[in-house]
Every structure is written in C-alpha cells, then in structure tokens.
Amino acid sequence: MSASRGVAVVIGVGPGLGMSIAHRLGREGHPVVLVSRSDARHAGYVSSLADAGIRAEAFTADVRDHDRLLSVLDTVVERHGPVGMVYYGPGSTDPESHPVPILQAGPEDVRRAMEWAYPAVEVARRVLPGMIERGEGGLLFATGLSAVMPMPALGNLAILSAALRTYAVTLNTALTETGVYAGCLVIGGVVERGDIHGMVSSQPERYGPVAGMTLDPDALADAAWEMYATRGRAEETFSVFG
C-alpha cells in the first residue's frame, strides 16, 4: 500500500493532538491544511510546521457552520489539489459543550452534542468520491472512551462518541477493496498540551489531579499513522484506565 501524498486536512486543530497529527502527516510528505474555529493561534501553528520543513496553510471555520466548512474544503482542493488525508477531531471547552449526565440529558442536549457529528459525515461525503476514484486516501476520526465504555456522567457526549465511532468503522467496511481507509481513535484520557488539558490542570479543585490521567499526543499521532499505513484495524483504543 502506497500512502497518498495529497494534502492532509486537520479539522479541529489545537495545540495537543491536532498539531501532533499535523506534524506526523507532514513528516510523511503531505502538505498540511489546518482548520479551526479561531485564527488566533494559526500563525504559530504554521510557523511550527514550517520550522519542521512542512508546507502548511490555515483556515478558519466552525465545523457547525456547514456552508463555511464545505467552502474551505473546496478552496483547499483549488489551491493544493486532491485531499489525501483527513483528520477530524474538533472539540470545545465552552460551557455549552460540557456533558449533561445521561439521566438528565433530554433530546435537545443530545441534538446539541450531535452537531459535532454531522460535519464528519459532510466532510467524508465531500472528499470520498475523489479518494475512491484515485484508489487511495484515508480519514481518521477522534472520539472518546464513552463510545465503547458506559460512562453515565458524559451523557449526551457519550452518544456523540458512539455515533462517531460507529460511523468510522462502518465506513471502513464499506470502503473495503477501494484503497481508501477510515479509522477511529478512541481516546480515554486527557491529551497533553491540548486545551482540555489546560482547563483541567488549571482547576484541580474541580476536576481532580491530572497526574496519571494523561496521554502523549505524539504517541497517539504515531499510532494513528500506523493505523492508516497498515490498515489492520479500523479502530484503536488509547486509555489511561488500562
């Protein structure tokens, strides 16, 4: 299997796993496009990649703004050519994105959480026809441990996590024999350097100690690339809980 060297699009990039994924894909020869809700850190991200010899460009888009997100993808293709890889891992520390425990979660809470899943489907539908036509490419989705382990406190977010996982592994089965891969990183822990890590570690009185609960984003990015390169499994779980 020869990996596509088309542009790699990292959606929901942050200082933790998103940037580790960007660096890992860049080292494999992909030019990189970064997408996040704010451009406040884009210059630093692009500079970091440039220092590593990786060509990169950044775009601003909230994945829940469907028209804007699809417009960015179209612009990426116009400027850089075919999309070879997509990593989808947006998240938020905004209060509106905090979990509602399952016994309290109503339909509106679930709908609000699922707004983060629908863009994953839209992105896949946009890039897959070209990948299938070329016979190569891949999509990687990040989700939480509550996708595979009952975690009632995460409530509506557990439903979102399970939906993303099921979408990824089902997509991978449907793509058998096409040369295109879809995979899911199931993450059970606080990813170091990320925004959630910053929030949790700054409020130990609220969230408890973070020691022993963290995952190395560089190790996760290496594992993500291995998943794509070997295509042995459609999902891998990375958990601090053993």
Side-chain angles (χ1 to χ4, degrees):
M1 188 275 298
S2 62
S4 168
R5 293 303 184 266
V7 64
V9 182
V10 180
I11 298 176
V13 66
L17 183 53
M19 277 302 290
S20 290
I21 290 282
H23 275 277
R24 189 66 178 86
L25 296 178
R27 290 202 304 273
E28 295 298 331
H30 294 274
V32 175
V33 164
L34 311 173
V35 182
S36 63
R37 285 192 295 167
S38 168
D39 64 359
R41 296 180 288 192
H42 282 176
Y45 293 162
V46 171
S47 177
S48 171
L49 291 163
D51 288 345
I54 299 167
R55 182 161 57 95
E57 185 176 10
F59 292 86
T60 303
D62 186 325
V63 298
R64 295 166 297 181
D65 182 343
H66 302 175
D67 291 342
R68 172 61 183 166
L69 178 61
L70 296 180
S71 175
V72 164
L73 291 175
D74 291 343
T75 300
V76 168
V77 172
E78 290 171 5
R79 294 186 184 180
H80 301 282
V83 174
M85 287 287 295
V86 171
Y87 167 79
Y88 182 88
S92 176
T93 57
D94 295 343
E96 66 174 14
S97 298
H98 291 180
V100 178
I102 198 67
L103 292 180
Q104 285 77 52
E108 187 54 40
D109 300 309
V110 174
R111 278 193 289 269
R112 187 171 64 253
M114 289 297 291
E115 288 178 356
W116 297 92
Y118 303 138
V121 179
E122 292 186 315
V123 168
R125 283 171 56 86
R126 201 65 149 204
V127 303
L128 274 174
M131 290 181 178
I132 293 170
E133 182 179 356
R134 296 189 305 276
E136 59 183 0
L139 303 99
L140 291 166
F141 303 88
T143 191
L145 188 64
S146 58
V148 296
M149 177 186 294
M151 302 179 78
L154 296 185
N156 59 334
L157 298 189
I159 297 171
L160 162 65
S161 294
L164 281 172
R165 173 197 172 264
T166 298
Y167 181 62
V169 298
T170 305
L171 197 60
N172 188 63
T173 297
L175 291 168
T176 302
E177 308 300 333
T178 67
V180 182
Y181 172 81
C184 181
L185 285 70
V186 179
I187 300 172
V190 182
V191 178
E192 294 167 8
R193 301 197 301 269
D195 290 329
I196 292 176
H197 178 267
M199 179 182 72
V200 170
S201 59
S202 69
Q203 302 179 61
E205 71 286 351
R206 179 176 182 181
Y207 297 106
V210 73
M213 302 297 289
T214 65
L215 295 167
D216 178 1
D218 295 335
L220 292 175
D222 286 341
W225 176 257
E226 187 69 13
M227 289 169 64
Y228 170 68
T230 63
R231 306 187 178 206
R233 286 173 53 83
E235 63 178 316
E236 292 290 351
T237 299
F238 309 91
S239 176
V240 299
F241 300 104

